[in-house]
Amino acid sequence: MSFAFCFDREEDIYQFAYCYPYTYTRFQHYLDSLQKRNMDYFFREQLGQSVQQRQLDLLTITSPDNLREGAEQKVVFITGRVHPGETPSSFVCQGIIDFLVSQHPIARVLREYLVFKIAPMLNPDGVYLGNYRCSLMGFDLNRHWLDPSPWAHPTLHGVKQLIVQMYNDPKTSLEFYIDIHAHSTMMNGFMYGNIFEDEERFQRQAIFPKLLCQNAEDFSYSSTSFNRDAVKAGTGRRFLGGLLDHTSYCYTLEVSFYSYIVSGTTAAVPYTEEAYMKLGRNVARTFLDYYRLNSMVEKVAIPMPRLRKEKSPSYKHPLLRGPASNYPNSKGDKKNSVNHKDPSTPF
């Protein structure tokens, strides 16, 4: 493919982008604006720093009651932008965050029931420098989950330590891990999942993407696939799928750089920034269907926003100081929360 472009205004700056830009600076301004709202269910902390000393932000979105000492937690862990050129990942992640911090009745129910841990930008150096796939030092971070270096892959190392610590906490049920990416050849949104010898576990894993397909017109279940290719062994989805127990589900959420085709039609609809964020909102609301919380939405009272009067409570999962190499062979039984979808009006 080639094209001709006429630079007809000497005083203007022209930029060519593979997709809608989403910079590190924009990301920091966005988080700053959320923090200034002083919401008592939104917490921001610095989980670590990149090689060039940029922030690795971790967001916690949940009811303050779920962060009390000794409280049991059902955790959904979401990461994004491990590949810095995949900017749609940031728009989808922002859609998830915007929905979860809103006063929408579904969002309020989800905050009461779940704890959302979100690391929206795993590769801040790569994003800042304009890299497409690699970190500052030339590593594809999504191939180093097995043994991330605290020196060469500090952001990945910090996130992995936190996840392992949550997994070892008997009060914490790490129910979902979703890593958000963008795809350069496929259309629509879709997911990659893992393959398990246990047929029942494999079938349960298909429930969430099936529900998401019902909620999001641009999500394709037919494009969703489950694999254990050797080349993917170092990815977050594969590593955590092998580490976590049978109550946890790990996915890669992919979304096209370009377009989607609505089921029953043939015309490709170009993605916009808003369309990416809408997919994020639909990902968030699908948890309501998965946990069968629809009846609770009707009981939600008129929202009364609360402001945080004091500093954020200390986080239940501070950074570990030691290596994250010793994992348990098994974990105590956790309550299995796999359910099917109740009918609900899409967001």
Side-chain angles (χ1 to χ4, degrees):
M1 184 184 74
S2 64
F3 63 90
F5 189 89
C6 178
F7 296 90
D8 56 346
R9 299 192 181 200
E10 292 185 2
E11 69 278 8
D12 283 359
I13 296 175
Y14 292 84
Q15 295 178 322
F16 296 86
Y18 192 60
C19 192
Y20 309 109
Y22 198 111
T23 64
Y24 174 78
T25 303
R26 172 176 175 167
F27 171 61
Q28 290 299 315
H29 286 326
Y30 170 63
L31 294 190
D32 289 344
S33 69
L34 290 177
Q35 202 164 10
K36 288 176 182 177
R37 291 165 60 182
N38 204 28
M39 298 170 286
D40 73 336
Y41 47 79
F42 173 85
F43 307 98
R44 177 188 183 186
E45 65 177 314
Q46 184 175 310
L47 188 58
Q49 290 184 315
S50 66
V51 174
Q52 288 190 322
Q53 304 302 297
R54 293 188 178 88
Q55 289 186 191
L56 170 62
D57 287 286
L58 176 70
L59 311 180
T60 302
I61 303 173
T62 190
S63 165
D65 291 340
N66 294 328
L67 300 179
R68 287 176 300 141
E69 186 68 29
E72 294 188 357
Q73 299 182 350
K74 292 180 180 290
V75 175
V76 174
F77 207 109
I78 298 172
T79 56
R81 213 66 186 276
V82 69
H83 292 149
E86 297 176 3
T87 59
S89 165
S90 287
F91 290 107
V92 173
C93 203
Q94 181 172 329
I96 294 173
I97 297 168
D98 284 343
F99 182 80
L100 290 176
V101 301
S102 74
Q103 288 301 319
H104 192 287
I106 292 176
R108 297 173 63 209
V109 168
L110 292 177
R111 292 196 299 266
E112 293 296 322
Y113 192 76
L114 298 168
V115 177
F116 291 89
K117 296 278 187 180
I118 306 175
M121 193 170 283
L122 285 183
N123 192 347
D125 286 349
V127 171
Y128 183 86
L129 297 169
N131 293 353
Y132 177 69
R133 192 171 182 88
C134 296
S135 66
L136 165 73
M137 301 179 68
F139 293 107
D140 180 346
L141 295 182
N142 204 36
R143 296 296 182 272
H144 288 273
W145 275 87
L146 292 173
D147 188 25
S149 161
W151 174 74
H153 326 111
T155 56
L156 203 64
H157 183 263
V159 169
K160 178 179 174 180
Q161 283 188 306
L162 176 60
I163 291 176
V164 171
Q165 183 179 1
M166 287 192 296
Y167 175 69
N168 290 333
D169 186 343
K171 293 285 188 179
T172 301
S173 175
L174 184 53
E175 310 233 320
F176 281 89
Y177 171 75
I178 300 177
D179 189 26
I180 308 175
H181 289 253
H183 206 283
S184 59
T185 60
M186 298 282 284
M187 306 276 271
N188 294 67
F190 59 95
M191 280 181 154
Y192 290 126
N194 295 313
I195 289 179
F196 303 104
E197 300 300 331
D198 182 348
E199 180 64 23
E200 182 183 358
R201 184 181 182 188
F202 177 73
Q203 294 297 330
R204 293 199 308 265
Q205 184 187 211
I207 294 175
F208 188 85
K210 285 181 178 178
L211 295 176
L212 179 54
C213 187
Q214 296 179 36
N215 288 331
E217 66 175 6
D218 58 320
F219 185 85
S220 170
Y221 183 76
S222 62
S223 295
T224 294
S225 63
F226 304 90
N227 62 67
R228 53 182 173 192
D229 300 340
V231 70
K232 303 284 190 178
T235 64
R237 167 180 61 88
R238 284 289 308 279
F239 168 75
L240 294 174
L243 168 69
L244 305 178
D245 63 26
H246 69 280
T247 66
S248 305
Y249 300 97
C250 302
Y251 305 94
T252 300
L253 172 62
E254 297 273 2
V255 61
S256 174
F257 272 105
Y258 313 116
S259 305
Y260 62 94
I261 298 177
V262 179
S263 178
T265 68
T266 57
V269 180
Y271 268 110
T272 63
E273 294 181 14
E274 169 57 26
Y276 286 131
M277 288 191 278
K278 183 178 180 181
L279 175 59
R281 296 194 296 267
N282 284 325
V283 169
R285 73 165 309 280
T286 297
F287 288 105
L288 184 89
D289 302 323
Y290 182 85
Y291 289 104
R292 304 181 81 173
L293 302 173
N294 305 76
S295 60
M296 295 178 62
V297 175
E298 301 172 0
K299 301 176 183 178
V300 173
I302 298 174
M304 295 293 290
R306 293 173 293 176
L307 299 181
R308 193 164 55 239
K309 296 181 180 180
E310 301 176 354
K311 292 184 178 180
S312 306
S314 58
Y315 288 92
K316 188 175 178 183
H317 304 292
L319 276 175
L320 290 178
R321 300 303 178 191
S325 57
N326 298 321
Y327 307 130
N329 292 325
S330 62
K331 189 171 176 72
D333 290 339
K334 295 180 179 178
K335 186 176 180 180
N336 194 336
S337 302
V338 177
N339 294 289
H340 294 282
K341 182 178 185 299
D342 288 337
S344 177
T345 303
F347 174 75

